[in-house]
Amino acid sequence: MLTADLLNAYRIPMISYSATSDILSDKSRYPYQFRTVLPDRFQVSATIDFIRYHGWTYVSLLYVDDSYGAGATRELENRSEEVGACLALSRALPIAKQNGSYYDDVVTELIAHSKARVVIVWAYEQQAASIFHAVKRAGLHNYFLFIAPDGWGVSSDEWIGLEDVAHGLFSIKSSGSDGSGFHDWLDALNSTYRDDNPWFEQYWAIRFDCAIGMDAGVDATPCSQERHLLLADAGDAVAPIHYQALETNIIDATYALAKTLHDVIESECRGVWRGCFNSSMLVKPLFDLDYESPLTSRRINFNEFGDFNGKYVFLNYHENSDGDYALNIAGEWSETNGISMMDTEHFHWPEGHDGDGHFESVCSHQCPPRHYRVQAQQSCCWECRACRSNEYLALNETLCVTCPQFTWPNHLATACEAVEPEHLHWSDATTIVILVAAGLLAVSAVTMGVFFYIKRCTKLIKACSRELCFVMVTGVLLSSLISVALVAPPSEGSCYTNYFGFHVAFTVIYAPLLTRTNRIFRIFRASKRSTQRPRFASTLSQLVVTTIIVAVQVMIGLVLMFFYPPGMHMLMREVTRRHVELACRITMQPFAAQLGYNVLLVLLCTYYAVRTRRLPDNFNESRFIGFCVYTAAILWIAFTPTYFSTANTQQQVIALACALLLNGTIVLLCLFVPKLYALYYLGETDENSRGSFRVSKNRTLSSGGKTSMSRTASNEDPIGVTDVKKPLPRSASSADNLSDDDVFRPDSTSGGTAAKRSLPSVSFADELQEKALSA
């Protein structure tokens, strides 16, 4: 530095072969400074690239407390963040020699940061040796991996006795040359060479252990005076020459300055040796140099800072096959190419790591997938915490962010992906079962409808309100079709069909059933009070009432559909579960309103079924109706909480389909199958005899042929007929076997009108019997 300041004052260029300080690269302060040795910042770059190459992110730094160590430390601290590394410990070491306890304390600090197993020692041989002895005293053999810059670690002789501590050490040194060109030039000289070289005779005497000229004494062996005696002629007696990087730098610096002087003299002086140029004129030619040295075979050029564009080599200290420890070339680095060669297969690491083994020096490992980092004080240290299942990593894995609705993190949780919505498919096992059940129900409904149409003129079919039965069969068929639409893949059409058809299908079944049970109740209640025909008891009236009940449900559905239009929508019930459903939009308010209307119909049917449970024994129709509505009421009691408590849309759809199918099946089994059995297995005659209208078990007829009855309010005789002297003929048809209009049609034999009696229910019973006999 002092020499550079002195020569800079006189504008004299200098090519240094050993000055590495980065300050000399400042051309505003040292415009005449050049060098054939790499500056410290290049060595820092090589060290940083070496650390990055091996994935080390947590290292310790011990540096000598002078400009050499302080400058490198500043550069390392600034550059380490670029590669995601940080310094666990940065400790200055004094230049002056210290006792062993001082370095024991330094090693204790290294142990306190034991995760940082890589230790950079930016110091000199004295400090490095003291650290190694302290590590050995601490018993940490083969634990730390040391990186040595060019201030120490030049020769393996430095580590004699410390091999177990230094094993695996990496030394970063400036790349030299074998000096083959210079060696060849020397090899061609003999003892007669002079050429005004003041060092030649001294070199010759040392090289061959002889004396030349006046140095030759009595006991000294004079050097051979034979001309053209080549150095190679000395044979094995001459030890081979080994050139270090320093010698190479000296050769290149000398040759570069000599070549520049030669070129300037040739171009400027032209035979005039004095006053033709000054030293400042050498600066530009030095910057323009670009040639391959004939002595070292290195490319010589200087960048804009006057620095040499050379290379570093990485040397690995380990035991060779012959049992000796040595520094072996392991890699190479240059400013332009970075690390261009790294022989990792032959690395020797501490703790037996070699070959493909990896030596770790990290504070915190990479977080597992779906974990984010909670940053500690140092950038390379953190704590890993798990994200929730629906969150992805953001901001360099330091934050978990919830994925938008209907999306889910990918397998690495680095982004969100759309979730494929789930819905029922035709190939699903549940769908196939429902389709088969719906098909069977539809076939059964059509069969019953055909059967009732064929037998429409029989007394049994006429007596069971055949027109209303056709409406109920239509409702059962509609239920089977709607159940198929429910399990179909969602579409706009299927959603509107399901929204409207589900409730209407139930209403088409229960509207005629309610009308029928109400009519039965009114007929038998009126028979106790009057012979007058109840109002709205005809077939046409019943169909009109049924149509009105169904129309009310249709109107409710249309109005609610206007305010709550159905349609497809995606549903994600739980944000922490990867499950998206594609289903029809079923709003709770309109669904509950329409469902409530159907439940009301079922409850009214149940009410009338209870009220008519004590009809005459042979009025079997009331029992089947009662069983049907009781079963339907139980079905709705089970269905309603099941539907509203189910959190899965597919299960809700399956529940709706099953409710339709079960309801249609109950209606067919309870109201239609018994009549099919009666017609085909009992026969019409047996049916008539079994169905004779028996008002009471002890009923008789009077001797005059007229009925003698007494009215009672007992619940066991709802019609109020008792004390009949003569039993009814067994061949007479019951009221069940009369058509709807036949029950209250005026009889011609009675004059078209019924006489007023004190017991109106008796007259009604006589009329029923006469109609049965006439039938």
Side-chain angles (χ1 to χ4, degrees):
M1 295 291 293
L2 295 177
T3 304
D5 290 333
L6 177 62
L7 296 179
N8 187 61
Y10 291 96
R11 299 182 180 181
I12 300 176
M14 182 182 74
I15 304 179
S16 175
Y17 54 81
S18 62
T20 61
S21 175
D22 290 327
I23 299 176
L24 297 176
S25 297
D26 185 359
K27 292 295 107 177
S28 64
R29 293 179 58 183
Y30 300 99
Y32 303 99
Q33 178 67 34
F34 297 84
R35 50 186 162 186
T36 56
V37 63
L38 296 174
D40 290 338
R41 68 177 183 277
F42 285 7
Q43 191 166 191
V44 171
S45 297
T47 304
I48 290 293
D49 287 349
F50 188 72
I51 290 173
R52 174 169 50 190
Y53 183 88
H54 293 288
W56 299 327
T57 59
Y58 200 52
V59 298
S60 294
L61 172 63
L62 304 178
Y63 62 95
V64 64
D65 191 11
D66 64 356
S67 59
Y68 168 67
T73 299
R74 286 193 300 269
E75 188 71 15
L76 280 170
E77 290 175 347
N78 295 332
R79 296 283 304 279
S80 60
E81 295 183 0
E82 297 178 7
V83 296
C86 54
L87 299 179
L89 174 65
S90 181
R91 172 70 183 269
L93 303 176
I95 297 179
K97 186 176 181 179
Q98 303 293 322
N99 55 31
S101 60
Y102 176 85
Y103 286 99
D104 289 340
D105 294 339
V106 174
V107 173
T108 301
E109 293 186 47
L110 291 176
I111 296 173
H113 302 84
S114 58
K115 289 184 177 180
R117 298 184 63 186
V118 173
V119 181
I120 304 172
V121 183
W122 211 281
Y124 304 116
E125 182 178 349
Q126 173 189 319
Q127 290 81 15
S130 300
I131 292 171
F132 276 41
H133 283 289
V135 170
K136 188 169 186 176
R137 287 194 297 271
L140 298 175
H141 308 289
N142 285 327
Y143 184 80
F144 292 110
L145 186 148
F146 293 94
I147 296 179
D150 61 2
W152 62 281
V154 176
S155 172
S156 58
D157 296 338
E158 301 175 17
W159 318 120
I160 297 176
L162 298 171
E163 291 85 354
D164 52 350
V165 178
H167 177 77
L169 173 147
F170 280 92
S171 178
I172 304 175
K173 296 295 175 284
S174 179
S175 176
S177 171
D178 59 2
S180 58
F182 183 67
H183 186 275
D184 293 340
W185 177 78
L186 288 178
D187 208 26
L189 299 180
N190 58 33
S191 60
T192 63
Y193 173 77
R194 294 293 185 270
D195 199 19
D196 298 328
N197 190 331
W199 300 287
F200 176 75
E201 290 185 357
Q202 181 182 1
Y203 170 77
W204 190 274
I206 295 174
R207 177 70 169 159
F208 293 97
D209 192 21
C210 63
I212 296 178
M214 298 184 64
D215 292 334
V218 178
D219 298 329
T221 303
C223 294
S224 174
Q225 297 297 319
E226 183 178 357
R227 294 178 61 86
H228 307 296
L229 180 62
L230 301 179
L231 294 179
D233 294 341
D236 297 335
V238 180
I241 301 175
H242 297 281
Y243 296 94
Q244 301 292 338
L246 180 61
E247 288 87 343
T248 304
N249 294 340
I250 295 173
I251 294 172
D252 286 335
T254 304
Y255 190 89
L257 184 58
K259 186 178 186 308
T260 303
L261 284 170
H262 178 269
D263 293 341
V264 171
I265 291 173
E266 287 289 328
S267 62
E268 299 295 336
C269 295
R270 298 178 182 178
V272 180
W273 293 93
R274 294 183 180 273
C276 60
F277 74 95
N278 57 52
S279 59
S280 61
M281 295 174 63
L282 298 176
V283 175
K284 186 178 184 306
L286 284 172
F287 276 114
D288 293 338
L289 283 178
D290 188 7
Y291 67 96
E292 182 175 335
S293 173
L295 301 179
T296 62
S297 300
R298 293 202 301 180
R299 196 75 188 174
I300 305 300
N301 52 52
F302 301 101
N303 60 21
E304 66 272 20
F305 303 107
D307 297 328
F308 174 61
N309 294 317
K311 296 180 180 179
Y312 280 109
V313 291
F314 301 104
L315 306 175
N316 185 215
Y317 182 76
H318 61 83
E319 185 179 7
N320 294 327
S321 58
D322 58 3
D324 295 331
Y325 278 84
L327 287 166
N328 300 280
I329 296 179
E332 191 175 87
W333 179 94
S334 66
E335 183 187 17
T336 55
N337 300 323
I339 295 178
S340 57
M341 185 271 290
M342 190 64 68
D343 188 15
T344 56
E345 294 183 0
H346 298 91
F347 279 5
H348 286 253
W349 306 99
E351 290 289 345
H353 288 281
D354 52 17
D356 296 332
H358 181 66
F359 187 84
E360 280 192 344
S361 183
V362 296
C363 180
S364 300
H365 289 89
Q366 187 70 24
C367 289
R370 299 184 180 276
H371 285 69
Y372 70 101
R373 296 183 300 178
V374 179
Q375 194 63 51
Q377 185 175 2
Q378 290 184 297
S379 60
C380 60
C381 299
W382 57 80
E383 178 185 351
C384 295
R385 295 182 183 177
C387 295
R388 291 192 300 176
S389 57
N390 64 326
E391 294 178 335
Y392 70 97
L393 298 171
L395 296 179
N396 196 24
E397 300 184 358
T398 60
L399 181 67
C400 289
V401 179
T402 303
C403 282
Q405 194 176 22
F406 310 129
T407 62
W408 199 256
N410 57 21
H411 68 288
L412 295 177
T414 56
C416 294
E417 300 174 343
V419 179
E420 184 71 21
E422 297 182 7
H423 57 81
L424 290 174
H425 298 273
W426 294 119
S427 58
D428 293 344
T430 305
T431 302
I432 294 174
V433 172
I434 291 177
L435 292 177
V436 172
L440 294 176
L441 182 62
V443 171
S444 300
V446 172
T447 302
M448 288 298 176
V450 172
F451 162 73
F452 265 62
Y453 181 79
I454 295 174
K455 298 292 184 179
R456 65 185 182 278
C457 295
T458 61
K459 300 172 184 178
L460 180 62
I461 301 303
K462 291 171 63 178
C464 66
S465 303
R466 60 190 175 190
E467 290 78 8
L468 296 181
C469 287
F470 283 121
V471 176
M472 295 175 66
V473 169
T474 303
V476 173
L477 181 61
L478 183 60
S479 297
S480 64
L481 297 177
I482 296 299
S483 63
V484 174
L486 283 170
V487 297
S491 64
E492 291 293 333
S494 65
C495 289
Y496 275 89
T497 301
N498 298 338
Y499 184 92
F500 189 78
F502 174 78
H503 302 284
V504 173
F506 272 108
T507 307
V508 172
I509 293 176
Y510 287 109
L513 188 60
L514 174 61
T515 304
R516 188 173 176 184
T517 55
N518 174 265
R519 174 177 176 273
I520 294 172
F521 172 73
R522 289 189 297 112
I523 287 175
F524 282 94
R525 187 179 66 173
S527 67
K528 296 180 182 181
R529 302 175 182 176
S530 171
T531 59
Q532 294 293 328
R533 178 193 184 105
R535 299 180 62 186
F536 308 114
S538 66
T539 300
L540 179 60
S541 299
Q542 301 303 302
L543 291 175
V544 171
V545 172
T546 300
T547 303
I548 293 174
I549 296 174
V550 175
V552 172
Q553 179 67 283
V554 172
M555 291 301 299
I556 293 174
L558 292 176
V559 172
L560 293 176
M561 189 182 297
F562 177 78
F563 290 102
Y564 303 94
M568 293 188 302
H569 74 137
M570 290 195 299
L571 185 64
M572 194 172 189
R573 298 180 183 271
E574 301 179 22
V575 296
T576 57
R577 181 185 174 203
R578 192 181 188 275
H579 182 70
V580 175
E581 298 171 304
L582 179 63
C584 295
R585 184 185 297 108
I586 300 179
T587 308
M588 190 60 62
Q589 293 86 344
F591 184 84
Q594 293 178 278
L595 184 64
Y597 184 79
N598 285 329
V599 171
L600 177 62
L601 297 182
V602 174
L603 293 178
L604 290 175
C605 290
T606 305
Y607 169 76
Y608 286 119
V610 172
R611 292 297 301 271
T612 58
R613 71 186 185 280
R614 292 185 180 274
L615 290 180
D617 293 341
N618 54 353
F619 193 75
N620 298 328
E621 184 73 11
S622 63
R623 298 177 185 175
F624 293 117
I625 293 175
F627 185 76
C628 177
V629 295
Y630 299 154
T631 307
I634 295 174
L635 172 65
W636 281 100
I637 291 173
F639 165 76
T640 303
T642 300
Y643 177 83
F644 288 106
S645 62
T646 300
N648 187 284
T649 302
Q650 296 183 27
Q651 295 177 359
Q652 288 181 333
V653 170
I654 294 172
L656 294 176
C658 291
L660 283 174
L661 296 176
L662 288 175
N663 187 74
T665 304
I666 290 171
V667 171
L668 291 181
L669 291 178
C670 294
L671 300 181
F672 292 90
V673 172
K675 293 178 177 55
L676 178 67
Y677 174 80
L679 286 176
Y680 280 94
Y681 291 95
L682 297 180
E684 187 172 350
T685 302
D686 190 30
E687 163 219 336
N688 292 338
S689 63
R690 288 175 179 272
S692 59
F693 189 87
R694 291 170 299 181
V695 178
S696 179
K697 292 181 181 180
N698 56 0
R699 177 176 176 178
T700 59
L701 296 176
S702 63
S703 58
K706 293 186 178 181
T707 308
S708 175
M709 302 179 184
S710 62
R711 183 179 180 183
T712 177
S714 172
N715 291 333
E716 296 180 359
D717 191 5
I719 300 182
V721 180
T722 57
D723 194 22
V724 180
K725 301 299 183 181
K726 184 178 180 180
L728 290 173
R730 293 287 294 173
S731 62
S733 295
S734 70
D736 286 352
N737 297 331
L738 301 178
S739 66
D740 296 337
D741 294 333
D742 288 341
V743 176
F744 287 103
R745 184 182 297 118
D747 187 70
S748 59
T749 59
S750 60
T753 59
K756 293 183 179 179
R757 299 183 177 95
S758 59
L759 298 175
S761 56
V762 174
S763 299
F764 175 59
D766 290 341
E767 186 177 357
L768 288 177
Q769 180 174 333
E770 291 174 2
K771 295 298 180 184
L773 292 173
S774 65

